[in-house]
Amino acid sequence: MDLLLSPQLLFSALVLGSTYALVALGLNLVYGTMRLLNIAHGDLIMVGAYAAFWFFTLSGLSPIIGLPLIALICAGLGLILYFAIFRHQLENVHPVERIEANSLLLFFAVSVIVQNVVALSFSGSPRAYRHLDEVYHLLGVSMTANRIAALVVAVTLLSAVVLFLNRSHYGLSISALIQNKTAAKIVGINVSKIQILSFTIGFAIAGVAGALISMTEQISPFMGFPFTIVAFVVIILGGLGNIKGGIAAGLLLGFVEIYVVVLTSANFRSILIYGLFVGVLLLRPQGLFGKTRAS
Amino acid sequence: MTALNGILKDRVLLIFLTSLVLTVFVPDLFGSYWAIVALNLMMWVSLTQSWTLFSGMTGYISLGHVVFYGIGAYVVASTFKVLPLWVSIPLGGVVAGVLALLVAIPVLRVRGPYFVILTFGLAELVKYIVLNVETSIGKSSRLLFGAPTIETLLYIMIGLAVIATLMTKLVSQSRFGRGLSAIRDDEITAETVGVPVVKYKITAFTLSAVIPGMVGGVIALKSTYFEVLQVFNPVISFTVVTMAIIGGSGDVRGPFMGAAFLLLLSELFWATIPQIYMILVGLFLIVFVVFAPNGIAAILWPARSRDSQ
């Protein structure tokens, strides 16, 4: 019982949960506004992680300072992909189920290409770097500076995105598009402009998440896939396209994972993740927090 | 019976099946390296053909077909030297079919993206459950000493490829197959006009699992060892989908074209620079999804593919 209430565990769960929320946020934006199933999402996280690694190794630039640059790189990748492949799908393919199926295949291809281009350029072996790894003690919790930084950045960015979606003109347009594309079009929202915006924001957030993850974990060209899975579990839990639900679900998953692993064993982590995933899909496909909505 | 008659009159199909069967001469003519290539080709043809039986016809994309392959391999590996192979390989197919039947009832209630990621998630869930079971009984991998020769396995695999092809063809020409196509075009309309949607979907899903179950068993024998992460590798599911898309699933020759095309690419590049092979697979997949969604078969034989669409 002492173990369960320990602030150390709480801290780990918060860090993991906020990372998961951030990892899933980008995916949710892209799915919610365009119905594109981005199974290359984890690979964008990998790209962000590699960008952070190279900036740090080559010029000593701290990933925290370099975040805007890393976000820009992933956003640029997003723009290229949008105009090269996905704009055509969004404009010419009907019905929406067809776009979903095609996007899955296309993003699978993108995933394979990105992974292997990175493996070809920088070799497939894992890499890591040491940055901000001094340990602080606070209220009986030992934490490394990079975890604190990751937590602070993740929480700031999550709050900023929620504020942006609720308050700004563009953000409200994105929310409207998520809720109802046809209605959004009727009230005069420039749908394709908003789609480009959410596509690039989604990619940029993935890059930032990757940079944060690279500070505490080994990176490799094939590190992305588990994050894709986590991102899907989270947005399914929160309800596809439900941004706030997704953030809550990310935090929840972080907590559940940490506490289940502590109570049982690390072997059960995968069973837990997929069990939760399958269970929610079967019992509540609209998500834990979702209202019933035609899929 | 009319369907069977149709098959006997179908020259294209007969020529295709004959050429599949002619693969039995590969080991004698070209040696054991090409026998393994032929075995791989037949394996992918069987898997892709089975996949199109359900996913090609109904439009429900299954990303978890590896689970049936893996469970078949598991049955054969865990009963190796206990049951004779002529029992354990078909048993792998039966177990895969039963598993498909059990999961079909809840899984097929969901549609679209939910279905796709659910099949994927289920396959991974089964993988980790099997992995934990194997670890807890202290078997991280199993060696299968005294498995049949590559030639024997090739003959079995050719048999499976022929059965898978015939099955898909028979289904596509039957009332059942037309029902499945109707589901793909518009499920609600299909139900309204009296297609027993639920029954058809469950039957097709189950049928499409049986052959992969047996294929998995044969492949476990080929590699002479069984390792959970390898036989349940999700890359197998993705490869099957890629082959079906590139080859085209509207024509029985499509899965063959897709499998042959990817194997050719892999022969050319895998040994030297595997990354180049993977990048090319990705590029071709994009090109086909965007420009030729009905695959190579529809490019080579346009009229016929349109008929069966």
Side-chain angles (χ1 to χ4, degrees):
Chain A
M1 205 55 211
D2 282 351
L3 182 68
L4 287 186
L5 294 173
S6 91
Q8 186 76 51
L9 223 50
L10 188 70
F11 175 70
S12 309
L14 264 178
V15 174
L16 190 67
S18 60
T19 311
Y20 282 178
L22 197 59
V23 162
L25 178 61
L27 183 68
N28 219 354
L29 274 176
V30 171
Y31 179 80
T33 49
M34 284 159 281
R35 298 303 181 88
L36 299 176
L37 286 166
N38 182 1
I39 53 171
H41 190 70
D43 301 298
L44 302 166
I45 290 172
M46 181 269 290
V47 170
Y50 265 82
F53 172 84
W54 283 115
F55 279 136
F56 184 76
T57 318
L58 296 179
S59 66
L61 178 68
S62 163
I64 302 290
I65 313 292
L67 281 179
L69 218 55
I70 295 162
L72 214 61
I73 290 177
C74 285
L77 186 64
L79 273 181
I80 295 173
L81 286 176
Y82 181 85
F83 284 104
I85 307 175
F86 293 100
R87 188 177 59 164
H88 174 266
Q89 293 286 312
L90 290 167
E91 284 171 1
N92 301 322
V93 177
H94 305 282
V96 67
E97 284 80 19
R98 187 99 225 129
I99 298 186
E100 284 171 345
N102 281 359
S103 71
L104 186 89
L105 298 166
L106 291 168
F107 272 119
F108 168 60
V110 169
S111 160
V112 167
I113 294 172
V114 171
Q115 281 174 11
N116 285 284
V117 166
V118 172
L120 204 58
S121 323
F122 309 124
S123 95
S125 42
R127 294 159 187 273
Y129 60 99
R130 288 164 65 97
H131 178 56
L132 295 177
D133 56 353
E134 58 277 15
V135 181
Y136 290 93
H137 298 279
L138 195 73
L139 305 169
V141 186
S142 329
M143 32 199 169
T144 52
N146 50 28
R147 283 184 198 275
I148 303 174
L151 180 62
V152 171
V153 172
V155 171
T156 315
L157 194 56
L158 289 170
S159 327
V161 170
V162 170
L163 271 180
F164 170 72
L165 291 180
N166 283 344
R167 298 288 160 81
S168 78
H169 181 73
Y170 281 119
L172 286 170
S173 308
I174 291 179
S175 306
L177 199 53
I178 292 175
Q179 279 167 15
N180 191 328
K181 187 175 165 181
T182 322
K185 209 179 262 173
I186 290 170
V187 297
I189 289 171
N190 183 341
V191 170
S192 66
K193 198 165 135 193
I194 295 302
Q195 284 178 336
I196 298 172
L197 187 72
S198 12
F199 201 88
T200 40
I201 293 180
F203 274 49
I205 295 175
V208 171
L212 296 180
I213 290 163
S214 79
M215 295 194 300
T216 55
E217 284 182 39
Q218 275 199 339
I219 65 170
S220 89
F222 307 102
M223 68 184 272
F225 193 62
F227 288 108
T228 305
I229 296 303
V230 161
F232 270 103
V233 174
V234 169
I235 70 171
I236 294 283
L237 279 172
L240 283 179
N242 179 347
I243 300 291
K244 284 179 209 154
I247 295 175
L251 288 168
L252 182 70
L253 186 68
F255 275 86
V256 170
E257 184 179 323
I258 292 279
Y259 284 96
V260 168
V261 167
V262 166
L263 288 174
T264 58
S265 98
N267 291 340
F268 288 108
R269 180 190 174 264
S270 301
I271 292 196
L272 168 79
I273 297 260
Y274 288 107
L276 213 59
F277 186 34
V278 169
V280 171
L281 269 175
L282 289 179
L283 301 174
R284 269 189 80 79
Q286 72 276 30
L288 291 178
F289 317 108
K291 296 179 269 305
T292 319
R293 187 174 108 175
S295 55
Chain B
M1 261 355 255
T2 47
L4 203 62
N5 260 329
I7 294 241
L8 287 175
K9 282 186 197 134
D10 189 334
R11 271 186 37 227
V12 173
L13 182 72
L14 285 181
I15 294 170
F16 176 68
L17 289 178
T18 318
S19 53
L20 281 189
V21 173
L22 286 178
T23 323
V24 296
F25 296 112
V26 166
D28 289 337
L29 291 175
F30 303 102
S32 59
Y33 176 77
W34 288 101
I36 293 177
V37 174
L39 180 60
N40 286 337
L41 178 64
M42 290 302 139
M43 160 190 147
W44 291 115
V45 170
S46 317
L47 290 179
T48 310
Q49 206 73 265
S50 307
W51 184 87
T52 57
L53 192 155
F54 173 73
S55 294
M57 284 190 216
T58 60
Y60 276 75
I61 295 183
S62 160
L63 261 192
H65 251 55
V66 71
V67 73
F68 306 122
Y69 169 95
I71 215 76
Y74 189 43
V75 168
V76 169
S78 55
T79 62
F80 191 65
K81 300 280 171 173
V82 178
L83 292 177
L85 292 178
W86 61 267
V87 176
S88 69
I89 295 176
L91 184 67
V94 172
V95 172
V98 171
L99 177 70
L101 185 63
L102 287 178
V103 299
I105 299 162
V107 166
L108 285 167
R109 287 190 321 167
V110 297
R111 292 198 47 130
Y114 293 101
F115 176 79
V116 181
I117 41 195
L118 181 56
T119 52
F120 177 82
L122 259 178
E124 289 288 284
L125 181 63
V126 172
K127 172 172 97 179
Y128 286 107
I129 290 175
V130 174
L131 187 66
N132 271 288
V133 168
E134 288 287 280
T135 319
S136 66
I137 57 173
K139 301 236 179 202
S140 55
S141 64
R142 295 166 186 260
L143 287 168
L144 312 176
F145 288 119
T149 59
I150 291 292
E151 284 76 21
T152 317
L153 295 176
L154 173 62
Y155 303 148
I156 302 175
M157 200 60 97
I158 293 171
L160 291 177
V162 169
I163 296 171
T165 307
L166 274 175
M167 216 159 83
T168 305
K169 187 71 190 172
L170 264 175
V171 167
S172 74
Q173 289 181 340
S174 66
R175 191 185 161 80
F176 173 43
R178 281 190 289 276
L180 295 175
S181 304
I183 293 174
R184 179 186 56 203
D185 295 338
D186 188 336
E187 186 161 344
I188 294 163
T189 312
E191 190 154 27
T192 318
V193 298
V195 176
V197 168
V198 177
K199 197 176 105 190
Y200 274 15
K201 284 193 300 189
I202 293 176
T203 314
F205 192 66
T206 308
L207 276 181
S208 81
V210 175
I211 298 283
M214 295 197 260
V215 171
V218 176
I219 291 300
L221 294 170
K222 176 204 132 193
S223 49
T224 65
Y225 73 98
F226 167 85
E227 212 255 302
V228 179
L229 292 181
Q230 200 174 353
V231 295
F232 284 96
N233 191 343
V235 169
I236 297 175
S237 301
F238 284 111
T239 308
V240 166
V241 179
T242 308
M243 285 175 171
I245 300 294
I246 290 185
S249 51
D251 183 307
V252 282
R253 290 168 297 190
F256 179 83
M257 298 310 291
F261 183 72
L262 282 204
L263 272 184
L264 179 71
L265 271 187
S266 128
E267 282 301 308
L268 290 176
F269 294 104
W270 183 261
T272 46
I273 325 173
Q275 290 89 357
I276 296 279
Y277 162 74
M278 296 301 287
I279 293 170
L280 285 175
V281 169
L283 288 175
F284 276 112
L285 184 57
I286 293 178
V287 167
F288 275 96
V289 170
V290 174
F291 298 107
N294 294 322
I296 298 177
I299 297 172
L300 292 178
W301 307 286
R304 201 181 149 78
S305 292
R306 218 172 295 124
D307 288 345
S308 53
Q309 274 296 298

